[in-house]
């Protein structure tokens, strides 16, 4: 039973990170219908920037994270302006290839600057605490709390602010949104900003319990894709729910099935889903 | 059509260059690099038929490449099977894997297809990496034999391997050429153009897509198997996603959906990588933006740009007396069909 | 009576795009469907050609129930169509675009293509001849070797006709064939449709241009909010109260 509770907590922790990454991906997909393969690279850069701030200038973890969110967010905007905006009317295959190009570039860039080594991120929250009869580091607790806080903030932003409502309007109906006078390219930039920021938060929160290296985004982004297919491409609640579901499944799978193959679980899930429902779990009728 | 005859000229030139290269430049290193490039070209042709002509961007092809390579490697190393039999089996195994994957993947479209195949590629990689007892895991598979003799012909020297792989490349090109210039090829292009339209023209899209997918996997597998017996050592990383990115770069630079594209792109990029040796791991610093810029400004690559340029020139030349020439062109093309 | 629908219905989520429509398509006639934007006309076509599966109701072709058949099977029976937006392959020549239209009447496969068998040669020629024939029919032989991207809008519409005709159809469905085309050119397309009928091909079209429809069509059905509100000859339609309201009142049947 103890093991079970521990695994549930682990699942929550992993799930929080997955949800945050998937949220960024799903927002961009909802607005622009681009599967942004470069999102994993934003995640990786988020971790590196936080790490560099902390190591180089001794900046506090939270401040470093804030800077990272800003920088990666702006990078997202830059990506939109330089690449996705010019491609907005191109055939869908082009966006994907362009995104892959960006991914390759950013990874090589990270490797050039920071090298290919695996690095660890030390935070002030390494101590162990006891919670409901199980042990966890403060960092893990912080991941959970941090993710929930970010999700609530995102929710408030989308529901309560004008800028947020333009995002929702555009996700629901692109033509309609531009007809009622919403500046769609501004919304696109805003969405990329949010998406990059979310990736940076996710990476900075989880880096202390994982490792930081140029390829760290690969598995995460693949899983995030599985999640948004699971939760419905473009759906915000779907991304959150899907993230936690995958987190739990993996955590329990690692304990009760096989640790070696736990990464396959996500992909098998996807294979099964798409075998049954080729347009994803929550596809709308028609297209 | 005149362009067809011109194509013939290009093809004969390419064959001559390939055959003569080892005599003109007898350099073991270049020979090795070029042989490798030929192997990649075969895989890129496979990818091109699917992504370029049918419009389905598969990211599982590194996985199929690895299936072909490990298929051949395991069959020859673990069971001691005859090389040629193993080669055929490896291709068939890859096709079978392609069939199974395709049956599900092709029910999805566009983004779902790309994501799905990306995940399939990753699953294949993970299986190879983790299934230690069969594949040797990260340590890889060593001691893969070179192609065994066919009668008096042996394939022990690098030159003979070069010619063998060149022959396979020519075979691939021939098959591709004939498919693309046929009703079957037109059917694929119609699917790429608009699947709904193709279906209302009476084309069974699923059947055709599945055919392309399997064929495309077959060539990826063939390339993988040739790679295994050429390098004679394989590790899980030949199935990693970076390989599919390499293949895509070759295809896009050369020209997606063109027949010359895979050769042009692979050759150029491989040559460029060799001269940028110092960049090694950082080559993506250049190729990444290159890929992105190409897709924005020259989505059909070098071959596509050349094609457009020629068309433009042709239509600029087009004047009244040309009608006559047009007449001859159509007659010629009709003859072409009759002759085959 | 060539085709018939019985209580044909299509729902998209909560929206009923086509609602309980009974319609018959008369053989050898020009049948027209009119209605305001979003009335469900294109959806109705998509149901007949198999592109969408109906939520309820049936479709019959020569008495045969084809409700659940996929579009490629329906096309092989002799039902062809054009789309509201033409999807030509712009980088190919007009002729190359049309050749594939006859593909469904051939059976050569990968094997034939790779080994260039006799069947391959025979069928390649057959499709090319067919393409020439229909291009001649739609009067486009002069642009046959142009790139499809470089021809005029009206010529593109004609290519779409040619593509549909290349399938050897008994009935063609034309979705707004004259949208975005000037009046003179519209006349030309109208006479082309008449020419099709003279060749024994049944025509069914969606159109917004009233004057043209009233002159051209033997039979008209009016859709509004997915429902059939009227059916009959030009005169009957022109004097129908419900139709007048739908067009002037902008939502009488709601
Ligand atoms: N694939 C789809 N998914 C969801 N709704 C759809 C789909 N296709 C059509 N609709 C809806 O069904 C209704 C009917 O659309 P349809 O295209 O059939 O109209 P139409 O009569 O052809 O209009 P128009 O004259 O503008 O072409 C519209 O409200 C449209 O939004
Ligand atoms: Mg319509």
């Amino acid at each position: 039973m103890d093991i079970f509770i521990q695994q549930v907590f682990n699942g929550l922790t992993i799930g929080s990170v997955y949800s945050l990454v998937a949220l960024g991906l799903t927002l961009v997909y909802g607005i622009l219908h681009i599967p942004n393969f470069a999102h994993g690279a934003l995640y990786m850069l988020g971790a590196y920037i936080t790490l560099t701030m902390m190591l180089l200038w001794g900046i506090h973890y939270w401040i470093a994270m804030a800077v990272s969110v800003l920088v990666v967010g702006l990078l997202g905007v830059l990506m939109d302006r330089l690449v996705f905006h010019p491609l907005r009317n191109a055939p869908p295959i082009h966006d994907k290839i362009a995104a892959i190009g960006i991914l390759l570039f950013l990874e090589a860039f990270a490797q050039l600057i920071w090298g290919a080594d695996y690095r660890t991120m030390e935070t002030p929250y390494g101590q162990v605490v006891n919670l409901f009869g199980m042990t966890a580091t403060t960092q893990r607790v912080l991941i959970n709390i941090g993710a929930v806080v970010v999700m609530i903030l995102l929710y408030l932003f989308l529901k309560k602010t004008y800028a947020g409502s333009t995002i929702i309007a555009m996700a629901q109906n692109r033509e309609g949104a531009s007809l009622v006078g919403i500046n769609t390219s501004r919304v696109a930039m805003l969405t990329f900003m949010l998406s990059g920021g979310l990736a940076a938060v996710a990476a900075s929160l989880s880096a202390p319990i994982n490792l930081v290296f140029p390829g760290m985004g690969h598995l995460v982004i693949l899983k995030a894709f599985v999640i948004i297919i699971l939760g419905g491409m473009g759906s915000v609640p779907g991304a959150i729910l899907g993230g936690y579901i995958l987190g739990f499944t993996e955590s329990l799978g690692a304990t009760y099935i096989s640790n070696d193959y736990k990464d396959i679980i996500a992909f098998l899930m996807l294979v099964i889903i798409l075998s049954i429902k080729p347009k994803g779990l929550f596809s709308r009728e028609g297209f | 059509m005149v362009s067809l005859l011109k194509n013939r000229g290009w093809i004969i030139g390419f064959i001559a260059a390939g055959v003569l290269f080892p005599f003109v430049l007898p350099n073991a290193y270049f020979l090795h690099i070029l042989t490798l490039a030929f192997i990649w070209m075969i895989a890129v042709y496979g990818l091109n038929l699917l992504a370029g002509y049918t419009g389905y961007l598969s990211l599982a092809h590194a996985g199929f490449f690895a299936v072909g390579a490990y298929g051949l490697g395991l069959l020859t190393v673990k069971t001691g099977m005859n090389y040629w039999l193993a080669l055929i089996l490896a291709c068939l195994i890859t096709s079978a894997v392609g069939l199974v994957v395709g049956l599900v993947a092709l029910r999805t479209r566009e983004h779902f297809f790309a994501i799905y195949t990306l995940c399939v590629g990753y699953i294949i990689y993970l299986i190879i990496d983790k299934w230690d007892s069969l594949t040797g895991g990260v340590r890889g598979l060593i001691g893969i034999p070179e192609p065994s003799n066919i009668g008096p012909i042996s394939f022990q020297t690098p030159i003979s391997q070069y010619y063998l792989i060149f022959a396979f490349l020519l075979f691939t090109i021939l098959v591709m050429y004939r498919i693309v210039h046929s009703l079957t090829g037109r059917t694929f292009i119609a699917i790429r153009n608009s699947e709904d339209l193709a279906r209302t023209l009476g084309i069974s899209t699923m059947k055709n897509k599945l055919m392309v997918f399997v064929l495309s996997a077959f060539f990826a597998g063939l390339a993988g198997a040739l790679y295994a017996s050429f390098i004679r050592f394989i590790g899980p990383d030949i199935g990693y996603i970076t390989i599919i990115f390499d293949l895509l770069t070759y295809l896009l630079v050369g020209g997606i959906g063109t027949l010359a594209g895979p050769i042009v792109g692979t050759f150029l990029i491989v040559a460029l990588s060799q001269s940028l040796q110092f960049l090694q791991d950082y080559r993506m610093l250049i190729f990444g933006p290159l890929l992105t810029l190409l897709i924005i400004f020259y989505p059909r690559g070098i071959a596509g740009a050349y094609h457009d340029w020629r068309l433009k020139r042709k239509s600029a030349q087009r004047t009244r007396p040309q009608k006559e020439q047009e007449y001859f062109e159509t007659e010629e093309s009709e003859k072409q069909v009759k002759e085959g | 009576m060539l085709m018939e629908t019985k209580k044909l219905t299509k729902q998209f989520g909560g929206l009923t795009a086509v609602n309980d429509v009974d319609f018959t398509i008369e053989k050898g006639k020009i049948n027209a469907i009119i209605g305001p934007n979003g009335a469900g006309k294109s959806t109705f076509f998509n149901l007949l050609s198999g592109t969408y599966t109906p939520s309820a109701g049936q479709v019959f072709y020569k008495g045969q129930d084809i409700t659940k058949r996929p579009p490629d099977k329906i096309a092989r029976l002799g039902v062809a169509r054009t789309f509201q937006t033409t999807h030509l392959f712009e980088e190919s020549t007009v002729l190359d675009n049309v050749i594939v239209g006859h593909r469904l009447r051939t059976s050569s496969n990968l094997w034939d293509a790779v080994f260039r068998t006799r069947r391959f040669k025979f069928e390649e020629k057959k499709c090319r001849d067919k393409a020439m024939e229909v291009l001649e029919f739609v009067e486009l032989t002069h642009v046959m070797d142009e790139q499809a991207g470089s021809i005029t809008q009206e010529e593109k519409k004609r290519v779409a006709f040619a593509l549909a005709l290349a399938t050897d159809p008994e009935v063609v469905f034309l979705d707004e064939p004259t949208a975005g085309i000037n009046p003179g050119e519209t006349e030309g397309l109208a006479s082309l449709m008449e020419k099709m009928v003279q060749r024994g091909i049944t025509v069914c079209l969606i159109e917004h241009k009233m004057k043209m429809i009233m002159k051209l069509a033997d039979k008209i059905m009016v859709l509004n909010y997915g429902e059939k509100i009227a059916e009959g000859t030009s005169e009957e339609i022109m004097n129908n109260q419900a139709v007048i309201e739908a067009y002037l009142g902008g939502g009488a049947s709601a």
Side-chain angles (χ1 to χ4, degrees):
Chain A
M1 197 58 205
D2 275 358
I3 281 202
F4 182 75
I5 292 179
Q6 188 80 42
Q7 290 316 317
V8 168
F9 179 72
N10 273 349
L12 267 179
T13 314
I14 311 171
S16 310
V17 178
Y18 287 164
S19 295
L20 289 181
V21 180
L23 269 174
L25 206 58
T26 213
L27 281 176
V28 167
Y29 188 85
I31 299 285
L32 299 159
H33 293 266
I34 299 169
N36 187 6
F37 291 112
H39 195 67
L42 294 182
Y43 173 83
M44 175 264 307
L45 285 178
Y48 268 116
I49 292 172
T50 307
L51 183 68
T52 311
M53 296 279 164
M54 291 168 66
L55 290 183
L56 224 55
W57 294 301
I59 293 176
H60 191 271
Y61 177 56
W62 294 109
I63 299 172
M65 191 190 296
V67 175
S68 171
V69 166
L70 202 71
V71 173
V72 178
L74 287 177
L75 206 67
V77 175
L78 202 67
M79 226 154 78
D80 176 44
R81 291 321 297 177
L82 290 182
V83 179
F84 294 120
H85 186 72
L87 281 175
R88 65 196 176 286
N89 297 323
I93 213 169
H94 291 194
D95 293 323
K96 282 175 281 208
I97 290 169
I100 289 172
I102 302 173
L103 168 78
L104 294 176
F105 169 72
L106 291 178
E107 263 181 42
F109 180 76
Q111 193 168 338
L112 181 72
I113 306 241
W114 291 289
D117 311 337
Y118 290 68
R119 288 159 190 269
T120 51
M121 188 190 281
E122 303 279 348
T123 61
Y125 308 106
Q127 69 274 38
V128 173
V129 291
N130 272 305
L131 262 180
F132 314 115
M134 55 168 194
T135 55
T137 58
T138 318
Q139 182 66 36
R140 283 178 180 265
V141 178
L142 281 177
I143 293 176
N144 283 287
I145 297 172
V148 172
V149 169
V150 170
M151 285 172 202
I152 291 172
L153 287 178
L154 182 72
Y155 175 83
L156 291 177
F157 176 75
L158 290 177
K159 290 283 171 186
K160 303 286 177 201
T161 66
Y162 174 73
S165 66
T166 58
I167 293 185
I168 292 184
M170 193 165 146
Q172 277 163 357
N173 183 346
R174 207 191 161 104
E175 283 79 43
S178 75
L179 279 182
V180 299
I182 292 174
N183 180 342
T184 50
S185 26
R186 230 183 22 237
V187 179
M189 284 194 276
L190 183 66
T191 310
F192 266 98
M193 175 99 207
L194 274 181
S195 161
L198 285 166
V201 173
S204 309
L205 279 175
S206 68
I209 63 163
N210 292 319
L211 292 166
V212 182
F213 59 99
M216 67 186 275
H218 289 175
L219 257 185
V220 177
I221 183 71
L222 281 176
K223 288 179 185 171
F225 272 122
V226 175
I227 291 163
I228 66 173
I229 287 179
L230 190 73
M233 303 275 269
S235 155
V236 169
I240 297 175
L241 198 69
Y244 283 115
I245 291 179
L246 185 62
F248 280 126
T249 324
E250 273 190 28
S251 165
L252 297 178
T255 324
Y256 298 109
I257 303 172
S258 150
N259 194 31
D260 268 357
Y261 288 99
K262 72 167 193 295
D263 288 332
I264 291 187
I265 292 173
F267 306 122
L268 287 182
M269 244 156 106
L270 177 88
V271 168
I272 293 165
I273 292 167
L274 286 183
S275 309
I276 302 164
K277 300 214 66 173
K279 289 167 186 168
L281 267 190
F282 300 101
S283 65
R284 285 172 225 158
E285 170 77 15
F287 286 98
Chain B
M1 282 181 232
V2 174
S3 75
L4 224 108
L5 295 179
K6 268 198 190 139
N7 268 341
R8 290 253 157 96
W10 283 110
I11 290 169
I12 290 166
F14 174 71
I15 296 176
V19 171
L20 293 179
F21 176 83
F23 298 104
V24 180
L25 225 119
N27 173 321
Y29 177 70
F30 284 158
L31 201 68
H32 180 86
I33 297 297
L34 202 58
T35 313
L36 258 183
F38 289 164
I39 292 174
W40 294 126
M41 286 175 198
I42 295 173
V44 176
Y45 268 111
L47 189 62
N48 191 26
L49 194 65
L50 183 63
Y53 286 96
T54 320
Y56 275 75
L57 180 66
S58 161
L59 300 175
H61 270 57
F64 295 146
F65 185 84
V67 170
Y70 271 89
L72 181 102
L74 291 173
L75 285 174
T76 50
V77 172
K78 299 243 158 150
T79 71
M81 187 184 281
N82 171 279
Y83 175 84
W84 299 103
L85 188 60
L87 181 70
I88 294 170
L89 271 180
C91 292
L92 291 182
I93 291 170
T94 318
S95 308
V97 174
L99 180 70
V100 174
V101 172
L103 272 174
V104 178
L106 291 166
R107 282 159 34 105
T108 66
R109 277 197 199 185
E110 291 181 3
H111 309 318
F112 288 108
F113 182 82
I115 295 166
Y116 183 86
T117 49
L118 184 64
C119 290
V120 167
Y122 207 81
I123 292 178
I124 294 176
Y125 163 76
L126 280 177
I127 291 175
I128 292 174
D129 190 56
K130 305 280 186 210
W131 195 346
D132 232 69
S133 55
L134 181 71
T135 63
V138 281
R139 282 168 287 119
L141 195 64
I142 50 170
I144 300 165
E146 66 224 358
S148 52
N149 300 357
I150 307 179
I153 315 167
S154 81
F155 297 99
Q156 259 127 33
T157 61
I159 286 226
S160 56
Q161 288 230 12
Y162 169 89
Y163 281 120
L164 175 72
I165 288 169
F166 186 57
F168 272 110
L169 174 62
L170 290 181
F171 160 76
T172 308
I173 297 174
L174 178 75
V175 171
M176 291 298 161
Y177 182 90
R178 292 198 155 177
I179 291 175
V180 169
H181 293 100
S182 74
L183 281 174
T184 310
R186 287 179 195 279
T187 313
F188 299 161
I189 295 174
I191 291 174
R192 171 187 68 185
N193 189 24
S194 161
E195 217 160 308
D196 281 337
L197 179 62
R199 273 158 73 86
T200 57
L201 291 175
I203 291 166
S204 162
T205 47
M206 189 60 195
K207 203 180 89 193
N208 279 286
K209 289 188 300 189
L210 202 57
M211 191 157 76
V212 183
F213 198 86
V214 170
L215 209 62
S216 164
F218 174 91
F219 283 104
L222 173 65
L226 291 174
Y227 178 90
S229 62
F230 178 60
I231 301 292
R232 306 183 60 186
F233 160 81
I234 45 178
D237 48 331
I238 58 165
Y240 199 59
I241 28 184
T242 42
I243 299 288
I244 185 69
F245 295 159
D246 281 336
L247 296 182
L248 264 181
T249 313
Y250 301 154
L251 180 56
L252 275 148
V253 169
I256 187 167
T258 65
L259 267 178
I263 298 178
V264 175
T266 312
F267 183 78
L268 262 178
I269 297 291
V270 168
L272 202 66
S273 314
Q274 289 312 312
S275 45
L276 297 179
Q277 269 290 329
F278 63 94
L279 273 174
Q280 275 289 3
D281 292 339
Y282 306 113
R283 65 186 198 286
M284 288 304 170
L285 274 182
I286 294 175
F287 294 161
L290 185 69
L291 203 64
T292 308
L293 289 176
L294 266 173
I295 206 70
I296 297 177
F297 297 108
Y298 285 103
R300 291 173 64 234
I302 295 171
Y306 172 74
H307 182 81
D308 291 347
W309 172 77
R310 254 204 10 221
L311 269 176
K312 228 181 244 157
R313 235 184 35 163
K314 215 168 116 193
S315 65
Q317 283 173 358
R318 215 163 258 240
T319 42
R320 275 297 116 196
Q322 253 236 283
K323 276 275 163 253
E324 204 173 17
Q325 192 193 330
E326 256 173 31
Y327 174 75
F328 283 123
E329 271 185 42
T330 50
E331 249 203 352
E332 198 167 14
S333 59
E334 264 176 10
K335 225 165 59 198
Q336 206 81 56
V337 171
K338 280 180 205 137
E339 291 164 356
Chain C
M1 182 173 74
L2 188 66
M3 274 181 101
E4 186 179 10
T5 67
K6 281 194 183 141
K7 296 200 168 301
L8 201 59
T9 301
K10 178 68 182 176
Q11 280 157 339
F12 295 111
L15 176 98
T16 308
V18 170
N19 196 359
D20 255 355
V21 174
D22 292 318
F23 186 55
T24 55
I25 291 167
E26 304 297 334
K27 194 170 164 57
K29 298 261 163 63
I30 296 186
N31 304 264
I33 300 174
I34 61 173
N37 285 103
K41 306 179 296 290
S42 298
T43 307
F44 187 68
F45 265 26
N46 283 329
L47 292 172
L48 288 176
S49 63
T51 305
Y52 293 163
T53 13
S55 313
Q58 287 157 304
V59 183
F60 294 91
Y61 178 74
K62 292 183 175 169
Q64 237 182 106
D65 187 345
I66 58 163
T67 313
K68 294 236 155 61
R69 300 240 182 130
D72 50 304
K73 296 260 166 58
I74 294 179
R76 257 171 249 170
L77 290 176
V79 179
R81 70 168 293 184
T82 65
F83 285 84
Q84 196 163 352
T85 44
T86 33
H87 330 250
L88 296 181
F89 179 42
E90 314 244 310
E91 275 104 48
S92 274
T93 64
V94 169
L95 181 64
D96 277 332
N97 264 284
V98 179
I99 288 176
V100 78
H102 203 55
R103 173 65 169 142
L104 77 173
R105 305 291 171 213
T106 64
S107 54
S108 67
N109 51 28
L110 201 63
W111 178 272
D112 297 296
V114 172
F115 294 96
R116 304 267 136 143
T117 58
R118 288 178 67 159
R119 177 162 72 176
F120 167 87
K121 285 166 200 165
F122 174 75
E123 291 189 345
E124 292 285 324
K125 172 141 171 43
K126 183 174 154 198
C127 287
R128 185 172 285 268
D129 291 347
K130 188 73 192 182
M132 303 278 234
E133 178 197 320
V134 292
L135 282 172
E136 198 163 313
F137 184 82
V138 301
E139 294 150 32
L140 277 185
T141 33
H142 59 290
V143 293
M144 193 164 80
D145 292 318
E146 303 277 332
Q147 264 192 292
S150 68
I151 59 177
T152 68
Q153 195 58 35
E154 184 242 6
E155 285 166 343
K156 280 184 188 165
K157 296 278 181 186
R158 284 176 184 261
V159 178
F161 280 26
L163 200 50
L165 292 174
T167 63
D168 276 347
E170 295 201 31
V171 53
V172 279
F173 289 90
L174 307 168
D175 196 344
E176 300 198 20
T178 70
I181 281 188
N182 73 38
E185 292 169 340
T186 304
E187 294 272 311
L189 288 182
S191 58
L192 188 57
M193 285 177 234
E194 281 169 335
K195 198 162 121 192
M196 285 185 205
V197 173
Q198 280 159 22
R199 284 278 178 104
I201 298 167
T202 305
V203 172
C204 181
L205 80 158
I206 292 177
E207 213 21 277
H208 277 301
K209 295 181 179 163
M210 281 302 163
K211 250 173 76 187
M212 167 191 165
I213 279 295
M214 294 302 164
K215 232 173 64 193
L216 195 65
D218 300 304
K219 175 185 176 180
I220 300 171
M221 165 169 83
V222 189
L223 284 183
N224 193 24
Y225 292 105
E227 285 179 34
K228 179 169 89 175
I229 56 169
E231 185 175 357
T233 62
S234 308
E235 291 89 66
E236 285 164 358
I237 296 297
M238 263 191 290
N239 299 319
N240 184 305
Q241 199 53 36
V243 177
I244 294 168
E245 275 171 33
Y247 271 90
L248 298 178
S253 76

